[in-house]
Amino acid sequence: SAVVGVRGWEGQLSVFAFHLAPRAFSWQVWLMLGVFLGGLTSALLSGGFRLTRLPHSPQWRSVFGGHWAVRWGLVFLSGMLIQVAARIAGGCTSGLAISGGVQLAPAAFVFIPALFLSGTLTALLVYRRSY
């Protein structure tokens, strides 16, 4: 068993110390904020902005029911999970799969089949072979 030092477990594991340590806003945060606000401003000025709820497909209704709060909750939780995972990994899935594949990185060729396999297994688990 590892001895936890004064700084705690995050000091023992460099990935947690580097990726989860609180910092000031970096340029990426400002870029994302600018992209969001720029898109919102453009939609508002063009008159194309409107909030709508998407109708549930028959497939969605048969698996999860028809309540909109369930859909929004699942989307929010899955988005948060993806953000935490991307932060720990230091990038996103498309970055590793596309950019890494183009650069012939060995990690990309391990990751791409794992990505498709985990997606297939998740779909089978969620939809229980209904579709």
Side-chain angles (χ1 to χ4, degrees):
S1 73
V3 177
V4 177
V6 176
R7 290 189 54 215
W9 61 269
E10 70 275 1
Q12 302 294 320
L13 302 170
S14 63
V15 68
F16 291 108
F18 178 75
H19 290 295
L20 297 179
R23 301 182 200 134
F25 283 173
S26 65
W27 66 269
Q28 290 108 335
V29 174
W30 292 111
L31 176 69
M32 290 295 293
L33 186 62
V35 167
F36 173 76
L37 292 176
L40 179 62
T41 302
S42 176
L44 289 171
L45 291 175
S46 70
F49 181 80
R50 57 176 196 241
L51 288 175
T52 60
R53 284 191 298 181
L54 297 175
H56 298 300
S57 68
Q59 180 179 357
W60 178 272
R61 283 186 191 279
S62 70
V63 175
F64 297 107
H67 201 275
W68 63 269
V70 173
R71 187 173 188 165
W72 285 19
L74 285 173
V75 168
F76 179 77
L77 290 175
S78 60
M80 293 301 292
L81 180 64
I82 289 171
Q83 288 297 327
V84 169
R87 181 68 176 156
I88 290 172
C92 63
T93 55
S94 61
L96 177 57
I98 296 170
S99 299
V102 169
Q103 297 173 9
L104 302 177
F109 293 103
V110 172
F111 175 73
I112 293 170
L115 176 72
F116 283 101
L117 180 63
S118 65
T120 303
L121 291 175
T122 301
L124 288 173
L125 208 130
V126 168
Y127 291 112
R128 298 174 191 86
R129 298 180 186 246
S130 298
Y131 294 92

